[in-house]
PDB file of all heavy atoms in Angstrom:
ATOM      1  N   ALA C   1       0.831  -1.193   0.000  1.00 92.00           N
ATOM      2  CA  ALA C   1       0.000   0.000   0.000  1.00 92.00           C
ATOM      3  C   ALA C   1       0.871   1.249   0.000  1.00 92.00           C
ATOM      4  O   ALA C   1       2.059   1.194   0.300  1.00 92.00           O
ATOM      5  CB  ALA C   1      -0.918  -0.003   1.216  1.00 92.00           C
ATOM      6  N   ASP C   2       0.230   2.371  -0.322  1.00 92.00           N
ATOM      7  CA  ASP C   2       0.912   3.664  -0.281  1.00 92.00           C
ATOM      8  C   ASP C   2       1.022   4.181   1.150  1.00 92.00           C
ATOM      9  O   ASP C   2       1.912   4.952   1.481  1.00 92.00           O
ATOM     10  CB  ASP C   2       0.139   4.685  -1.126  1.00 92.00           C
ATOM     11  CG  ASP C   2       0.030   4.255  -2.572  1.00 92.00           C
ATOM     12  OD1 ASP C   2       1.078   3.983  -3.192  1.00 92.00           O
ATOM     13  OD2 ASP C   2      -1.102   4.177  -3.090  1.00 92.00           O
ATOM     14  N   ALA C   3       0.069   3.758   1.994  1.00 93.00           N
ATOM     15  CA  ALA C   3       0.063   4.180   3.393  1.00 93.00           C
ATOM     16  C   ALA C   3      -0.527   3.068   4.246  1.00 93.00           C
ATOM     17  O   ALA C   3      -1.358   2.291   3.781  1.00 93.00           O
ATOM     18  CB  ALA C   3      -0.756   5.452   3.562  1.00 93.00           C
ATOM     19  N   PHE C   4      -0.075   3.017   5.499  1.00 93.00           N
ATOM     20  CA  PHE C   4      -0.564   2.039   6.462  1.00 93.00           C
ATOM     21  C   PHE C   4      -1.092   2.805   7.667  1.00 93.00           C
ATOM     22  O   PHE C   4      -0.436   3.722   8.150  1.00 93.00           O
ATOM     23  CB  PHE C   4       0.569   1.111   6.915  1.00 93.00           C
ATOM     24  CG  PHE C   4       1.136   0.279   5.796  1.00 93.00           C
ATOM     25  CD1 PHE C   4       2.199   0.731   5.045  1.00 93.00           C
ATOM     26  CD2 PHE C   4       0.583  -0.956   5.505  1.00 93.00           C
ATOM     27  CE1 PHE C   4       2.725  -0.031   4.007  1.00 93.00           C
ATOM     28  CE2 PHE C   4       1.095  -1.735   4.469  1.00 93.00           C
ATOM     29  CZ  PHE C   4       2.161  -1.270   3.719  1.00 93.00           C
ATOM     30  N   VAL C   5      -2.259   2.404   8.158  1.00 95.00           N
ATOM     31  CA  VAL C   5      -2.840   3.026   9.348  1.00 95.00           C
ATOM     32  C   VAL C   5      -2.946   1.941  10.410  1.00 95.00           C
ATOM     33  O   VAL C   5      -3.588   0.916  10.211  1.00 95.00           O
ATOM     34  CB  VAL C   5      -4.227   3.641   9.052  1.00 95.00           C
ATOM     35  CG1 VAL C   5      -4.770   4.329  10.303  1.00 95.00           C
ATOM     36  CG2 VAL C   5      -4.145   4.640   7.898  1.00 95.00           C
ATOM     37  N   ILE C   6      -2.285   2.200  11.542  1.00 93.00           N
ATOM     38  CA  ILE C   6      -2.225   1.216  12.624  1.00 93.00           C
ATOM     39  C   ILE C   6      -2.735   1.845  13.917  1.00 93.00           C
ATOM     40  O   ILE C   6      -2.805   3.068  14.040  1.00 93.00           O
ATOM     41  CB  ILE C   6      -0.788   0.692  12.818  1.00 93.00           C
ATOM     42  CG1 ILE C   6       0.161   1.831  13.207  1.00 93.00           C
ATOM     43  CG2 ILE C   6      -0.294  -0.006  11.558  1.00 93.00           C
ATOM     44  CD1 ILE C   6       1.544   1.387  13.629  1.00 93.00           C
ATOM     45  N   THR C   7      -3.047   0.986  14.893  1.00 91.00           N
ATOM     46  CA  THR C   7      -3.490   1.486  16.194  1.00 91.00           C
ATOM     47  C   THR C   7      -2.317   1.814  17.101  1.00 91.00           C
ATOM     48  O   THR C   7      -2.472   2.539  18.061  1.00 91.00           O
ATOM     49  CB  THR C   7      -4.374   0.458  16.925  1.00 91.00           C
ATOM     50  OG1 THR C   7      -3.601  -0.719  17.154  1.00 91.00           O
ATOM     51  CG2 THR C   7      -5.624   0.142  16.136  1.00 91.00           C
ATOM     52  N   GLY C   8      -1.173   1.230  16.812  1.00 79.00           N
ATOM     53  CA  GLY C   8      -0.007   1.452  17.654  1.00 79.00           C
ATOM     54  C   GLY C   8       0.020   0.557  18.874  1.00 79.00           C
ATOM     55  O   GLY C   8       0.950   0.612  19.666  1.00 79.00           O
ATOM     56  N   GLN C   9      -1.001  -0.297  19.036  1.00 71.00           N
ATOM     57  CA  GLN C   9      -1.052  -1.167  20.205  1.00 71.00           C
ATOM     58  C   GLN C   9      -0.181  -2.401  20.048  1.00 71.00           C
ATOM     59  O   GLN C   9       0.287  -2.954  21.020  1.00 71.00           O
ATOM     60  CB  GLN C   9      -2.494  -1.586  20.470  1.00 71.00           C
ATOM     61  CG  GLN C   9      -3.343  -0.415  20.874  1.00 71.00           C
ATOM     62  CD  GLN C   9      -4.768  -0.831  21.157  1.00 71.00           C
ATOM     63  OE1 GLN C   9      -5.091  -2.007  21.197  1.00 71.00           O
ATOM     64  NE2 GLN C   9      -5.615   0.147  21.355  1.00 71.00           N
ATOM     65  N   ASP C  10       0.031  -2.846  18.827  1.00 58.00           N
ATOM     66  CA  ASP C  10       0.832  -4.042  18.582  1.00 58.00           C
ATOM     67  C   ASP C  10       2.074  -3.638  17.806  1.00 58.00           C
ATOM     68  O   ASP C  10       1.988  -3.284  16.645  1.00 58.00           O
ATOM     69  CB  ASP C  10       0.003  -5.066  17.783  1.00 58.00           C
ATOM     70  CG  ASP C  10       0.731  -6.379  17.588  1.00 58.00           C
ATOM     71  OD1 ASP C  10       1.929  -6.464  17.933  1.00 58.00           O
ATOM     72  OD2 ASP C  10       0.107  -7.317  17.086  1.00 58.00           O
ATOM     73  N   LYS C  11       3.229  -3.697  18.439  1.00 51.00           N
ATOM     74  CA  LYS C  11       4.461  -3.278  17.779  1.00 51.00           C
ATOM     75  C   LYS C  11       4.750  -4.109  16.536  1.00 51.00           C
ATOM     76  O   LYS C  11       5.384  -3.645  15.609  1.00 51.00           O
ATOM     77  CB  LYS C  11       5.655  -3.405  18.738  1.00 51.00           C
ATOM     78  CG  LYS C  11       5.627  -2.456  19.882  1.00 51.00           C
ATOM     79  CD  LYS C  11       6.931  -2.461  20.643  1.00 51.00           C
ATOM     80  CE  LYS C  11       7.428  -3.848  20.963  1.00 51.00           C
ATOM     81  NZ  LYS C  11       8.570  -3.874  21.873  1.00 51.00           N
ATOM     82  N   ASP C  12       4.287  -5.347  16.537  1.00 50.00           N
ATOM     83  CA  ASP C  12       4.587  -6.261  15.441  1.00 50.00           C
ATOM     84  C   ASP C  12       3.329  -6.529  14.611  1.00 50.00           C
ATOM     85  O   ASP C  12       3.039  -7.641  14.235  1.00 50.00           O
ATOM     86  CB  ASP C  12       5.145  -7.576  16.004  1.00 50.00           C
ATOM     87  CG  ASP C  12       5.753  -8.455  14.928  1.00 50.00           C
ATOM     88  OD1 ASP C  12       6.102  -7.933  13.857  1.00 50.00           O
ATOM     89  OD2 ASP C  12       5.857  -9.664  15.170  1.00 50.00           O
ATOM     90  N   VAL C  13       2.585  -5.464  14.300  1.00 48.00           N
ATOM     91  CA  VAL C  13       1.286  -5.584  13.652  1.00 48.00           C
ATOM     92  C   VAL C  13       1.345  -6.262  12.288  1.00 48.00           C
ATOM     93  O   VAL C  13       0.408  -6.910  11.872  1.00 48.00           O
ATOM     94  CB  VAL C  13       0.606  -4.200  13.556  1.00 48.00           C
ATOM     95  CG1 VAL C  13       1.294  -3.322  12.529  1.00 48.00           C
ATOM     96  CG2 VAL C  13      -0.863  -4.353  13.208  1.00 48.00           C
ATOM     97  N   MET C  14       2.451  -6.149  11.587  1.00 48.00           N
ATOM     98  CA  MET C  14       2.536  -6.711  10.256  1.00 48.00           C
ATOM     99  C   MET C  14       3.135  -8.117  10.258  1.00 48.00           C
ATOM    100  O   MET C  14       3.342  -8.705   9.215  1.00 48.00           O
ATOM    101  CB  MET C  14       3.321  -5.785   9.332  1.00 48.00           C
ATOM    102  CG  MET C  14       2.600  -4.460   9.134  1.00 48.00           C
ATOM    103  SD  MET C  14       3.513  -3.298   8.143  1.00 48.00           S
ATOM    104  CE  MET C  14       3.324  -4.037   6.533  1.00 48.00           C
ATOM    105  N   GLY C  15       3.421  -8.653  11.431  1.00 49.00           N
ATOM    106  CA  GLY C  15       3.941 -10.005  11.508  1.00 49.00           C
ATOM    107  C   GLY C  15       5.433 -10.092  11.242  1.00 49.00           C
ATOM    108  O   GLY C  15       5.976 -11.158  11.048  1.00 49.00           O
ATOM    109  N   MET C  16       6.076  -8.957  11.223  1.00 46.00           N
ATOM    110  CA  MET C  16       7.522  -8.917  10.981  1.00 46.00           C
ATOM    111  C   MET C  16       8.133  -7.965  11.989  1.00 46.00           C
ATOM    112  O   MET C  16       7.583  -6.895  12.227  1.00 46.00           O
ATOM    113  CB  MET C  16       7.797  -8.407   9.556  1.00 46.00           C
ATOM    114  CG  MET C  16       7.190  -9.277   8.469  1.00 46.00           C
ATOM    115  SD  MET C  16       7.264  -8.477   6.870  1.00 46.00           S
ATOM    116  CE  MET C  16       5.787  -7.480   6.936  1.00 46.00           C
ATOM    117  N   GLN C  17       9.259  -8.317  12.540  1.00 45.00           N
ATOM    118  CA  GLN C  17       9.857  -7.451  13.543  1.00 45.00           C
ATOM    119  C   GLN C  17      10.607  -6.279  12.925  1.00 45.00           C
ATOM    120  O   GLN C  17      10.582  -5.188  13.468  1.00 45.00           O
ATOM    121  CB  GLN C  17      10.781  -8.249  14.446  1.00 45.00           C
ATOM    122  CG  GLN C  17      10.021  -9.203  15.343  1.00 45.00           C
ATOM    123  CD  GLN C  17      10.938  -9.902  16.309  1.00 45.00           C
ATOM    124  OE1 GLN C  17      12.153  -9.925  16.132  1.00 45.00           O
ATOM    125  NE2 GLN C  17      10.361 -10.492  17.327  1.00 45.00           N
ATOM    126  N   ASP C  18      11.267  -6.496  11.832  1.00 47.00           N
ATOM    127  CA  ASP C  18      12.055  -5.436  11.209  1.00 47.00           C
ATOM    128  C   ASP C  18      11.442  -5.076   9.861  1.00 47.00           C
ATOM    129  O   ASP C  18      11.820  -5.603   8.830  1.00 47.00           O
ATOM    130  CB  ASP C  18      13.509  -5.876  11.002  1.00 47.00           C
ATOM    131  CG  ASP C  18      14.199  -6.149  12.322  1.00 47.00           C
ATOM    132  OD1 ASP C  18      13.989  -5.351  13.251  1.00 47.00           O
ATOM    133  OD2 ASP C  18      14.933  -7.130  12.416  1.00 47.00           O
ATOM    134  N   VAL C  19      10.496  -4.174   9.899  1.00 51.00           N
ATOM    135  CA  VAL C  19       9.801  -3.778   8.676  1.00 51.00           C
ATOM    136  C   VAL C  19      10.417  -2.491   8.157  1.00 51.00           C
ATOM    137  O   VAL C  19      10.551  -1.521   8.889  1.00 51.00           O
ATOM    138  CB  VAL C  19       8.291  -3.554   8.947  1.00 51.00           C
ATOM    139  CG1 VAL C  19       7.608  -3.058   7.693  1.00 51.00           C
ATOM    140  CG2 VAL C  19       7.665  -4.831   9.446  1.00 51.00           C
ATOM    141  N   THR C  20      10.799  -2.513   6.904  1.00 53.00           N
ATOM    142  CA  THR C  20      11.296  -1.315   6.259  1.00 53.00           C
ATOM    143  C   THR C  20      10.363  -1.020   5.094  1.00 53.00           C
ATOM    144  O   THR C  20      10.130  -1.880   4.252  1.00 53.00           O
ATOM    145  CB  THR C  20      12.726  -1.519   5.725  1.00 53.00           C
ATOM    146  OG1 THR C  20      13.559  -1.885   6.819  1.00 53.00           O
ATOM    147  CG2 THR C  20      13.259  -0.263   5.093  1.00 53.00           C
ATOM    148  N   THR C  21       9.830   0.183   5.074  1.00 61.00           N
ATOM    149  CA  THR C  21       8.912   0.552   4.009  1.00 61.00           C
ATOM    150  C   THR C  21       9.112   2.006   3.645  1.00 61.00           C
ATOM    151  O   THR C  21       9.469   2.815   4.497  1.00 61.00           O
ATOM    152  CB  THR C  21       7.449   0.294   4.410  1.00 61.00           C
ATOM    153  OG1 THR C  21       6.608   0.658   3.324  1.00 61.00           O
ATOM    154  CG2 THR C  21       7.038   1.068   5.645  1.00 61.00           C
ATOM    155  N   LYS C  22       8.905   2.304   2.394  1.00 76.00           N
ATOM    156  CA  LYS C  22       8.934   3.692   1.944  1.00 76.00           C
ATOM    157  C   LYS C  22       7.548   4.299   2.027  1.00 76.00           C
ATOM    158  O   LYS C  22       7.365   5.475   1.785  1.00 76.00           O
ATOM    159  CB  LYS C  22       9.472   3.767   0.516  1.00 76.00           C
ATOM    160  CG  LYS C  22      10.928   3.378   0.419  1.00 76.00           C
ATOM    161  CD  LYS C  22      11.453   3.492  -0.980  1.00 76.00           C
ATOM    162  CE  LYS C  22      12.909   3.067  -1.019  1.00 76.00           C
ATOM    163  NZ  LYS C  22      13.496   3.167  -2.321  1.00 76.00           N
ATOM    164  N   SER C  23       6.572   3.487   2.383  1.00 83.00           N
ATOM    165  CA  SER C  23       5.198   3.949   2.517  1.00 83.00           C
ATOM    166  C   SER C  23       5.023   4.712   3.823  1.00 83.00           C
ATOM    167  O   SER C  23       5.763   4.528   4.780  1.00 83.00           O
ATOM    168  CB  SER C  23       4.236   2.761   2.497  1.00 83.00           C
ATOM    169  OG  SER C  23       4.365   2.037   1.302  1.00 83.00           O
ATOM    170  N   THR C  24       4.002   5.531   3.862  1.00 87.00           N
ATOM    171  CA  THR C  24       3.656   6.284   5.056  1.00 87.00           C
ATOM    172  C   THR C  24       3.004   5.356   6.070  1.00 87.00           C
ATOM    173  O   THR C  24       2.142   4.559   5.712  1.00 87.00           O
ATOM    174  CB  THR C  24       2.675   7.417   4.685  1.00 87.00           C
ATOM    175  OG1 THR C  24       3.317   8.280   3.748  1.00 87.00           O
ATOM    176  CG2 THR C  24       2.250   8.210   5.884  1.00 87.00           C
ATOM    177  N   VAL C  25       3.419   5.453   7.324  1.00 91.00           N
ATOM    178  CA  VAL C  25       2.802   4.688   8.399  1.00 91.00           C
ATOM    179  C   VAL C  25       2.222   5.692   9.390  1.00 91.00           C
ATOM    180  O   VAL C  25       2.937   6.537   9.921  1.00 91.00           O
ATOM    181  CB  VAL C  25       3.808   3.753   9.102  1.00 91.00           C
ATOM    182  CG1 VAL C  25       3.139   3.012  10.255  1.00 91.00           C
ATOM    183  CG2 VAL C  25       4.416   2.779   8.105  1.00 91.00           C
ATOM    184  N   ILE C  26       0.904   5.602   9.619  1.00 92.00           N
ATOM    185  CA  ILE C  26       0.204   6.520  10.515  1.00 92.00           C
ATOM    186  C   ILE C  26      -0.246   5.746  11.748  1.00 92.00           C
ATOM    187  O   ILE C  26      -0.939   4.739  11.634  1.00 92.00           O
ATOM    188  CB  ILE C  26      -1.046   7.130   9.827  1.00 92.00           C
ATOM    189  CG1 ILE C  26      -0.694   7.811   8.511  1.00 92.00           C
ATOM    190  CG2 ILE C  26      -1.789   8.052  10.790  1.00 92.00           C
ATOM    191  CD1 ILE C  26       0.109   9.065   8.627  1.00 92.00           C
ATOM    192  N   ASN C  27       0.133   6.223  12.916  1.00 93.00           N
ATOM    193  CA  ASN C  27      -0.362   5.664  14.170  1.00 93.00           C
ATOM    194  C   ASN C  27      -1.637   6.433  14.511  1.00 93.00           C
ATOM    195  O   ASN C  27      -1.590   7.614  14.844  1.00 93.00           O
ATOM    196  CB  ASN C  27       0.682   5.825  15.274  1.00 93.00           C
ATOM    197  CG  ASN C  27       0.238   5.231  16.589  1.00 93.00           C
ATOM    198  OD1 ASN C  27      -0.937   4.970  16.813  1.00 93.00           O
ATOM    199  ND2 ASN C  27       1.192   5.031  17.474  1.00 93.00           N
ATOM    200  N   ALA C  28      -2.789   5.764  14.407  1.00 95.00           N
ATOM    201  CA  ALA C  28      -4.084   6.418  14.561  1.00 95.00           C
ATOM    202  C   ALA C  28      -4.539   6.557  16.013  1.00 95.00           C
ATOM    203  O   ALA C  28      -5.620   7.079  16.265  1.00 95.00           O
ATOM    204  CB  ALA C  28      -5.136   5.648  13.766  1.00 95.00           C
ATOM    205  N   LYS C  29      -3.711   6.127  16.946  1.00 93.00           N
ATOM    206  CA  LYS C  29      -4.112   6.189  18.358  1.00 93.00           C
ATOM    207  C   LYS C  29      -4.435   7.633  18.752  1.00 93.00           C
ATOM    208  O   LYS C  29      -3.607   8.530  18.613  1.00 93.00           O
ATOM    209  CB  LYS C  29      -2.998   5.643  19.244  1.00 93.00           C
ATOM    210  CG  LYS C  29      -3.370   5.587  20.710  1.00 93.00           C
ATOM    211  CD  LYS C  29      -2.276   4.978  21.540  1.00 93.00           C
ATOM    212  CE  LYS C  29      -2.689   4.933  22.986  1.00 93.00           C
ATOM    213  NZ  LYS C  29      -1.638   4.361  23.814  1.00 93.00           N
ATOM    214  N   GLY C  30      -5.665   7.845  19.208  1.00 94.00           N
ATOM    215  CA  GLY C  30      -6.092   9.163  19.666  1.00 94.00           C
ATOM    216  C   GLY C  30      -6.485  10.126  18.559  1.00 94.00           C
ATOM    217  O   GLY C  30      -6.787  11.285  18.834  1.00 94.00           O
TER     218      GLY C  30
END
């Protein structure tokens, strides 16, 4: 995806510990 929106509650939300992406990652918490 071009962007990922996460809750920030699970550090390993994508199932990978070391994720490198050029996509935007937004923590939607709050």
Side-chain angles (χ1 to χ4, degrees):
D2 300 305
F4 297 91
V5 182
I6 62 171
T7 62
Q9 294 181 8
D10 185 352
K11 292 190 312 189
D12 192 21
V13 72
M14 295 177 73
M16 300 169 275
Q17 291 185 343
D18 297 318
V19 176
T20 302
T21 181
K22 293 182 181 181
S23 301
T24 299
V25 178
I26 305 291
N27 181 343
K29 184 177 180 181

